[in-house]
Amino acid sequence: MIDLTTTYMGLPLRSPIIASASPLCDTVENIRRFEASGVAAVVLPSLFEEQLELESEATRTDQARGAESFAESLDYLPRLANYNLGPDAYLELIRKARAAVQIPIIASLNGTTSGGWTHHAKLMEEAGASALELNIYDIVSDPHVAGSQVEANYCDLVREIKSIVRIPVAVKLSPFFTAIANFTKRLDDAGADALVLFNRFYQPEIDIDALEINPSLKLSDPQELSLRLHWVAILYGNLRANLAVTGGVHSGRDVLKAMMAGAHIAMMTSAFFQNGIRHASFVLHEMTRWMEEHEYGSIEQMRGSMSRRSVPNPAAFDRANYMRVLSSYSLNPRSL
């Protein structure tokens, strides 16, 4: 019997597949469907720092001020009241989901400063969240802010959240940090229970005809997985925190690669949008079949087997491999 169970931040899971934050996870009905399909836990859509600020009447007034002069001014800030449930309804979703399913419900907060985060993190815990994911997606556009200060602020945020809640806390990162190994170690020291690698960078499109900047969201594809596997394989064994892969996970083989690199769980979203929530059952079947054919008895048995510390040639994960990759490519004579 193949054992697909794993643990994530101390939470026992029946499989390593988690539904990451998306609109698919914003109803109890869909969360039930995820559970029925074999998904081991669900991350609710992120509650944004800006949504917490909208609770302040002063903020609403500031947003509207000047709108009579510039009709487009209200579009400078997103219509977050329509993005998802809002703070109060979000807490209610946590309560209802916990009562409706047996799998863990992970709340998600998106922002970069403490502000209302600490207060709502505690409310999420009290509502029944099994864990909390801090999504620190941010574009630091101020040229006077140093990278070291940005990283220090994030570490302080993790310490503050950890001092207030007792549930485990994961930190979802972007890949755009200068020294990822060092930064993840500092987050680990700050108390992060897991690191989720990596957030996807959503970039706007330039409409050259309308001369407008338009938001653009493209679903992930399996090619994005390599970057995640690379860093999980490097970090495995060097941190106390668990590692999670998100971005580019579409198949059972993708999940298995993440486990071999050293991840405890793999998160999926785009594959569910493309194939439906029931896709999880096909992924689990593919994993089970491959493990049977290759005589693996459990997820635990394969974890980290292809990490940097476990492979015969660790340089494959380092700079030496860069030159090898470049020299391995053969030009098509027709391109000359």
Side-chain angles (χ1 to χ4, degrees):
M1 184 68 177
I2 301 298
D3 182 8
L4 295 179
T5 62
T6 185
T7 59
Y8 180 55
M9 300 189 290
L11 301 172
L13 303 179
R14 61 182 180 177
S15 82
I17 300 177
I18 287 182
S20 53
S22 81
L24 287 175
C25 304
D26 67 358
T27 67
V28 173
E29 181 180 5
N30 275 355
I31 293 172
R32 284 197 182 103
R33 289 172 177 162
F34 276 119
E35 181 180 46
S37 72
V39 168
V42 167
V43 183
L44 301 184
S46 293
L47 183 62
F48 282 75
E49 183 176 348
E50 290 84 351
Q51 287 178 285
L52 304 181
E53 293 174 355
L54 282 173
E55 289 187 310
S56 166
E57 185 62 35
T59 302
R60 297 193 191 96
T61 302
D62 288 341
Q63 281 188 305
R65 186 176 296 122
E68 67 278 5
S69 301
F70 300 97
E72 72 278 14
S73 64
L74 288 178
D75 290 330
Y76 293 160
L77 291 174
R79 303 178 188 277
L80 286 168
N82 298 324
Y83 168 73
N84 62 19
L85 301 171
D88 293 336
Y90 196 97
L91 298 175
E92 187 61 22
L93 175 61
I94 294 174
R95 296 187 189 98
K96 290 181 178 179
R98 280 302 303 270
V101 298
Q102 298 298 313
I103 59 176
I105 302 298
I106 302 174
S108 175
L109 278 170
N110 183 302
T112 58
T113 62
S114 57
W117 276 48
T118 52
H119 173 64
H120 278 79
K122 186 63 177 176
L123 292 178
M124 289 173 172
E125 178 183 37
E126 293 172 351
S130 307
L132 179 64
E133 183 176 279
L134 303 181
N135 185 344
I136 57 176
Y137 181 94
D138 189 27
I139 306 297
V140 183
S141 55
D142 186 344
H144 300 98
V145 177
S148 58
Q149 184 58 56
V150 173
E151 294 180 7
N153 291 344
Y154 290 157
C155 292
D156 289 343
L157 176 62
V158 172
R159 290 189 189 92
E160 187 171 1
I161 296 292
K162 286 290 295 181
S163 71
I164 290 174
V165 300
R166 291 177 293 179
I167 56 176
V169 176
V171 182
K172 190 173 186 178
L173 301 173
S174 83
F176 304 112
F177 291 94
T178 303
I180 291 178
N182 176 266
F183 182 41
T184 54
K185 180 63 169 64
R186 292 168 62 194
L187 289 171
D188 190 39
D189 293 340
D193 297 287
L195 301 174
V196 184
L197 311 179
F198 289 111
N199 206 335
R200 300 181 68 226
F201 184 44
Y202 296 112
Q203 303 172 78
E205 294 282 352
I206 296 178
D207 187 331
I208 63 174
D209 297 312
L211 299 181
E212 294 179 347
I213 303 297
N214 298 319
S216 175
L217 190 155
K218 297 179 181 178
L219 297 178
S220 76
D221 63 67
Q223 291 183 349
E224 297 181 36
L225 183 61
S226 296
L227 176 66
R228 281 80 179 164
L229 298 180
H230 178 86
W231 276 106
V232 167
I234 289 175
L235 296 175
Y236 177 76
N238 295 313
L239 304 172
R240 176 195 57 84
N242 290 168
L243 297 170
V245 167
T246 186
V249 180
H250 284 249
S251 67
R253 296 179 69 89
D254 293 338
V255 177
L256 292 171
K257 290 177 184 179
M259 300 301 104
M260 290 181 177
H264 280 73
I265 57 99
M267 295 184 171
M268 305 179 73
T269 291
S270 294
F272 293 137
F273 275 111
Q274 293 170 332
N275 304 298
I277 291 175
R278 289 181 295 178
H279 181 63
S281 62
F282 295 99
V283 172
L284 292 169
H285 176 71
E286 182 182 10
M287 291 172 60
T288 301
R289 185 177 57 193
W290 188 95
M291 291 173 69
E292 289 174 341
E293 292 175 354
H294 293 81
E295 299 182 350
Y296 279 94
S298 68
I299 292 295
E300 187 63 33
Q301 180 185 355
M302 69 172 61
R303 180 172 295 114
S305 60
M306 296 299 292
S307 66
R308 186 185 185 281
R309 65 187 299 177
S310 300
V311 297
N313 180 23
F317 291 103
D318 300 329
R319 178 175 170 80
N321 195 52
Y322 179 70
M323 294 177 286
R324 181 178 178 185
V325 169
L326 292 179
S327 62
S328 68
Y329 188 81
S330 298
L331 287 174
N332 187 329
R334 289 180 295 179
S335 66
L336 300 176

